Amino acid sequence: MTAADGGRTPTRLSRRALLIGGTVAASVVALGVQATRTSPGPRPHGPPDWESVPAPAGTTEPVEVVYCAGWDSAARSPASPMSESVARGRDAAGDQYAAVLFAGGVARAVVEVCWSAHHAEVWHIDASGRRYRGVAYRRWPDGRLRLFEVRGWRYGGPDTREFAGENPAFRARVHRTATATAEKVAVSAELSGGGKLDTWREWQNWPEPTRPPDDVAVPAPDGWPALAGMTGPVTVRPGPDAVPATFPWRPPHPLRPRHVEEVVTDGARFRMRNGRVQSIKRIPAGTIRLPSGKVLVADPGWLHTDPRPLTATAPPGEYPVDVFELEADGKSAWTVACRVAVKDAPVTSWDLALLDGEHELDLGDGEFFGNPVDTATLALVDQAGVTAYPLADIDAATAGEAVFHRLSDPKTGTDLVIVPGWSDGAFPVWIGRTEDGAIGCFVLDFRVPELADAEPV
């Protein structure tokens, strides 16, 4: 077994993760982004003492639908009404629109729809005109809606602003398999005695007295009242035949890479929030042999836990590896990325790398499947070599403050490339694809805080 180290680099910021009860649910705290890839072994908590935020009872009163841009939380009325024909056109095109549902002349619910984001959400409205419970759905490739999440807010009085405190008092998130089968429900709830509880339940044990509809056909634009529990006769209020210029809400999207092309470009420059300009430096890290093409990304100390490889497979071969650092005044500050270049062709699109069983419809706004880290370090290796590197050898090879470390195993014909980062947490891998859809590269993104709001110059 051979080893090689890269050049020196300044000491990096590190924070040792705390593993409680066998659960690893890492989040990148500095960037406020949830990472939802977890390690095996979560354990449920005991009986809860939370209170959910229930939906109102259904009604058979006549319903009036107002198509619009969304709900105006200040005026507590529909924003920028539109005609039914405009709403239907936007529905067919996958564009966002909303429908406010009135019964007895009072707004009872608003539905936000955007099929290009696979998203629809039914919001119930209280007597003060505030949204207080949202039931979100995702449209799956089979054309059906599956329950994604329920969120609820409790307001202290009629003058309490909408979504006071930002975080809901109750949240239930459904986790499904890649075939849309519901498995578990992650619950976050305020406790009646004070404090908050984060736990999970089996799908069969829904954490509320009743469960919203699940696995339903996609309604037509005039069919949303039924999903909101409003089954009376439906009429539509006329509106302008014009698309609103602005919308008071945006559809949720999983995290997308930010300036990833510049982050992996030698000499690229970024202007920081304080006006300072820093540049990217490429550091060649040799090559990595991928005899099976199945790339595995994990904390090097967890290789013995049988981690899974990425589902996107590269052609078997040997590929160059580069580490990228952010520099200021000629001095290295952060390791920001590591790239495995698979194909010498321009990258035209980027995807989030997934593991078997993962799917982006399981992600909320700004979320990603990240690779958990407990040593502020990540490693790349072919699956064929995951057991070839004893922990003692890894510890010996990674002593010191090198930009990268390499171990090679002649028996498996693999290389282990280890890259120290800036913190514990969880970090995504982006797949750069060429115009023909082939894998052009894998980029391990360390998401350093310095680049969170920096702009290329």
Side-chain angles (χ1 to χ4, degrees):
M1 186 170 292
T2 62
D5 289 338
R8 302 288 297 178
T9 188
T11 302
R12 293 165 172 79
L13 177 66
S14 176
R15 175 182 52 80
R16 175 72 60 175
L18 181 62
L19 309 184
I20 301 177
T23 302
V24 181
S27 61
V28 185
V29 178
L31 301 178
V33 178
Q34 180 181 358
T36 59
R37 180 173 294 159
T38 58
S39 69
R43 296 200 298 265
H45 293 268
D49 60 347
W50 65 64
E51 294 180 8
S52 62
V53 182
T59 177
T60 59
E61 292 183 76
V63 181
E64 183 182 36
V65 178
V66 177
Y67 296 109
C68 58
W71 183 248
D72 186 331
S73 58
R76 299 184 180 180
S77 64
S80 303
M82 68 178 73
S83 68
E84 181 178 8
S85 62
V86 170
R88 287 184 177 276
R90 295 187 67 78
D91 185 277
D95 297 328
Q96 72 182 101
Y97 71 97
V100 179
L101 313 179
F102 288 82
V106 177
R108 304 288 185 87
V110 58
V111 185
E112 298 171 344
V113 185
C114 184
W115 296 135
S116 62
H118 317 287
H119 170 78
E121 186 158 12
V122 178
W123 289 98
H124 297 285
I125 300 174
D126 68 11
S128 297
R130 297 167 299 193
R131 290 165 290 181
Y132 71 93
R133 177 181 165 91
V135 182
Y137 290 87
R138 293 287 185 267
R139 186 170 74 169
W140 282 69
D142 63 3
R144 296 187 65 81
L145 293 184
R146 265 80 176 198
L147 181 63
F148 173 72
E149 182 178 67
V150 174
R151 294 177 290 168
W153 282 260
R154 285 190 287 271
Y155 301 119
D159 296 326
T160 304
R161 68 178 178 85
E162 188 179 62
F163 303 144
E166 306 301 333
N167 293 319
F170 174 84
R171 182 197 300 265
R173 169 75 66 82
V174 182
H175 292 284
R176 300 179 183 271
T177 67
T179 58
T181 301
E183 287 190 316
K184 297 184 183 298
V185 182
V187 181
S188 177
E190 294 177 355
L191 303 179
S192 57
K196 196 149 188 154
L197 175 67
D198 292 300
T199 184
W200 58 263
R201 283 190 166 191
E202 299 297 326
W203 167 248
Q204 296 82 357
N205 299 320
W206 182 257
E208 299 181 290
T210 59
R211 188 172 68 202
D214 179 62
D215 192 6
V216 297
V218 175
D222 61 354
W224 292 113
L227 194 59
M230 305 170 72
T231 56
V234 175
T235 59
V236 176
R237 184 185 300 178
D241 286 323
V243 176
T246 60
F247 291 80
W249 65 282
R250 65 174 182 82
H253 290 281
L255 183 73
R256 301 305 301 161
R258 188 172 187 272
H259 304 316
V260 65
E261 292 91 348
E262 292 83 358
V263 167
V264 293
T265 298
D266 189 37
R269 301 166 74 233
F270 285 86
R271 188 179 304 279
M272 307 298 148
R273 176 186 290 182
N274 61 7
R276 191 179 189 187
V277 174
Q278 296 182 229
S279 60
I280 298 294
K281 179 182 179 181
R282 180 180 71 90
I283 301 172
T287 60
I288 185 169
R289 289 173 292 172
L290 303 176
S292 75
K294 297 179 179 179
V295 181
L296 192 144
V297 180
D299 186 302
W302 292 355
L303 295 179
H304 65 284
T305 64
D306 194 25
R308 294 174 291 165
L310 306 179
T311 55
T313 302
E318 184 172 353
Y319 301 108
V321 180
D322 295 293
V323 175
F324 296 86
E325 290 205 326
L326 189 65
E327 287 192 320
D329 302 326
K331 298 179 180 179
S332 298
W334 306 92
T335 293
V336 296
C338 177
R339 180 184 63 195
V340 178
V342 176
K343 189 175 182 180
D344 186 16
V347 169
T348 59
S349 65
W350 294 92
D351 297 328
L352 176 66
L354 303 174
L355 303 185
D356 185 42
E358 294 177 343
H359 50 89
E360 289 197 280
L361 290 175
D362 213 20
L363 297 174
D365 191 47
E367 294 179 352
F368 62 96
F369 290 115
N371 301 275
V373 174
D374 187 37
T375 60
T377 305
L378 272 171
L380 300 93
V381 67
D382 188 278
Q383 186 183 29
V386 67
T387 61
Y389 303 92
L391 186 57
D393 291 351
I394 293 173
D395 287 342
T398 56
E401 294 291 339
V403 175
F404 69 90
H405 313 271
R406 288 184 72 252
L407 292 168
S408 297
D409 179 62
K411 292 183 179 179
T412 59
T414 63
D415 305 295
L416 178 68
V417 179
I418 303 171
V419 183
W422 67 276
S423 177
D424 299 336
F427 304 97
V429 174
W430 305 110
I431 300 173
R433 295 192 179 274
T434 58
E435 189 174 8
D436 60 359
I439 296 176
C441 63
F442 296 96
V443 173
L444 197 164
D445 183 358
F446 283 100
R447 294 184 56 77
V448 300
E450 286 281 346
L451 290 178
D453 52 11
E455 295 293 338
V457 295

